Amino acid sequence: MKAIVVTDRGAGTAGMKLVERPDPQTARLASLSGANYGDVVVEVHASGFTWDELSWPSTWTDRLGRDRTPSIPGHEVAGVVRALSYGTTGLSVGQRVFGLTDWTRDGTLAEYAVVEARNLAPLPGDVEFVVGASVVMSGLTAWQGLFEHGRLRAGQSVLVHGAAGAVGSMATQLAREAGAYVIGTGRATGRQAALDFGAQEFVDLENDVLDDIGGVDLVFDVFGGDIGNRSAGLVRAGGMLVAIAGPPEVRPADGLAVDFVVVPDRPQLGEIIRRVRDGRVRTNIGNIATLDDAVAAFNPAERPKGKTVIRVRP
């Protein structure tokens, strides 16, 4: 099978290569002697790649810290189940699925991927594979940040940093749908996109004064650093700062702060894709490339807007 692999941690995306790798041994997977309980083989139709995942330790080592290169990156997948490991239940061969794969195993920038069944959700037949792959990471991150960790409720106000980006645009839409008042931030060039995704106000981080927005109930921070530090002072008493760029250096004086790493969740994926199907949530796809052109897509001449998705099969 064709796959994108990485072997040089210092090379970044420039070190990605398209190679031939062995297909998963589906017959062995289905046998009792070769069973890795809960695994399925997915014929990958579309894959997502997160811009900073080559900096993650899990891209280069397994759960025990051992080198696992050459490794296949990419952890967002949409495709078709082609084989089940012995004893696996809940999915069937031929079923359309999408989901978020394990960080410490080979990923989805390949024609086939071995994925734990619990990490996958059914993908409705009227949703394109590219759309399914595009909402996995951004959708789950936004959902978990807003509702699990941020405890967002109707009537509250939320500051969404990077509101025109893949995660920020999803957080903006989900927060608006939940009845929150949304203030988006980003570069001036992202103003209209953020407003189109549902932000009711927009703060240009390069030219506006962040403190001028006043207090909010929740800050959803994708940036960290100085912006995250300044945002802590905007959280009202009893409010929350939720960060995905690492532990906050400054915490709200009268509120809480949390950082988290997104995890697979089948019911949440189902909620997200239902909103996509009925038009309550729009995808934010910036670029679609083939597997043959994936390396160039991850090294663009200009900064891409939205999510880059690799269409593995036509």
Side-chain angles (χ1 to χ4, degrees):
M1 70 176 183
K2 290 182 180 179
I4 299 292
V5 301
V6 290
T7 57
D8 184 349
R9 190 167 186 171
T13 53
M16 289 178 156
K17 296 179 181 178
L18 181 64
V19 302
E20 285 288 337
R21 291 282 292 268
D23 290 353
Q25 297 181 11
T26 55
R28 184 173 184 274
L29 187 77
S31 70
L32 179 60
S33 61
N36 189 358
Y37 296 99
D39 279 352
V40 303
V41 174
V42 176
E43 177 187 82
V44 179
H45 284 248
S47 171
F49 174 80
T50 303
W51 67 273
D52 64 341
E53 70 178 73
L54 298 189
S55 68
W56 304 345
S58 57
T59 299
W60 308 98
T61 59
D62 64 15
R63 291 186 183 276
L64 298 178
R66 300 172 299 196
D67 180 84
R68 67 178 187 90
T69 57
S71 58
I72 301 172
H75 295 283
E76 299 149 280
V77 66
V80 177
V81 175
R82 288 306 178 205
L84 305 173
S85 68
Y86 185 86
T88 298
T89 61
L91 296 175
S92 58
V93 173
Q95 186 173 10
R96 301 171 92 248
V97 292
F98 74 127
L100 185 66
T101 71
D102 192 286
W103 310 124
T104 58
R105 300 173 65 174
D106 277 343
T108 61
L109 289 174
E111 292 181 311
Y112 296 93
V114 180
V115 185
E116 287 187 79
R118 63 180 180 176
N119 292 352
L120 300 168
L123 181 68
D126 58 352
V127 178
E128 295 182 1
F129 290 112
V130 166
V131 171
S134 74
V135 300
V136 174
M137 183 86 75
S138 56
L140 287 175
T141 301
W143 187 282
Q144 291 166 20
L146 292 173
F147 306 124
E148 283 195 357
H149 303 289
R151 305 168 192 168
L152 182 68
R153 303 185 304 275
Q156 291 186 319
S157 57
V158 55
L159 177 67
V160 177
H161 285 310
V167 174
S169 61
M170 188 65 69
T172 296
Q173 294 178 87
L174 290 174
R176 274 296 301 272
E177 196 224 354
Y181 185 87
V182 181
I183 304 167
T185 80
R187 290 185 173 90
T189 54
R191 177 185 297 273
Q192 192 56 54
L195 296 175
D196 289 344
F197 279 115
Q200 287 136 303
E201 294 182 41
F202 183 83
V203 177
D204 174 359
L205 292 174
E206 296 173 320
N207 300 296
D208 298 334
V209 179
L210 185 60
D211 293 346
D212 286 349
I213 70 170
V216 295
D217 298 298
L218 173 64
V219 173
F220 190 100
D221 178 28
V222 304
F223 294 136
D226 179 63
I227 293 172
N229 293 341
R230 287 189 284 141
S231 299
L234 303 175
V235 178
R236 291 173 180 153
M240 179 80 74
L241 168 64
V242 175
I244 65 171
E249 299 173 1
V250 178
R251 295 178 174 267
D254 297 308
L256 299 175
V258 63
D259 70 290
F260 75 100
V261 176
V262 63
V263 296
D265 191 291
R266 182 182 290 175
Q268 290 174 7
L269 285 172
E271 293 290 342
I272 292 163
I273 209 65
R274 273 193 287 274
R275 286 161 172 77
V276 172
R277 292 181 75 195
D278 62 22
R280 286 179 285 169
V281 169
R282 293 189 293 117
T283 57
N284 187 1
I285 300 173
N287 183 30
I288 301 173
T290 66
L291 192 61
D292 289 340
D293 296 328
V295 173
F298 297 136
N299 291 279
E302 297 181 1
R303 180 171 177 161
K305 297 179 181 179
K307 185 75 179 178
T308 296
V309 179
I310 302 305
R311 192 193 301 273
V312 178
R313 285 178 168 79

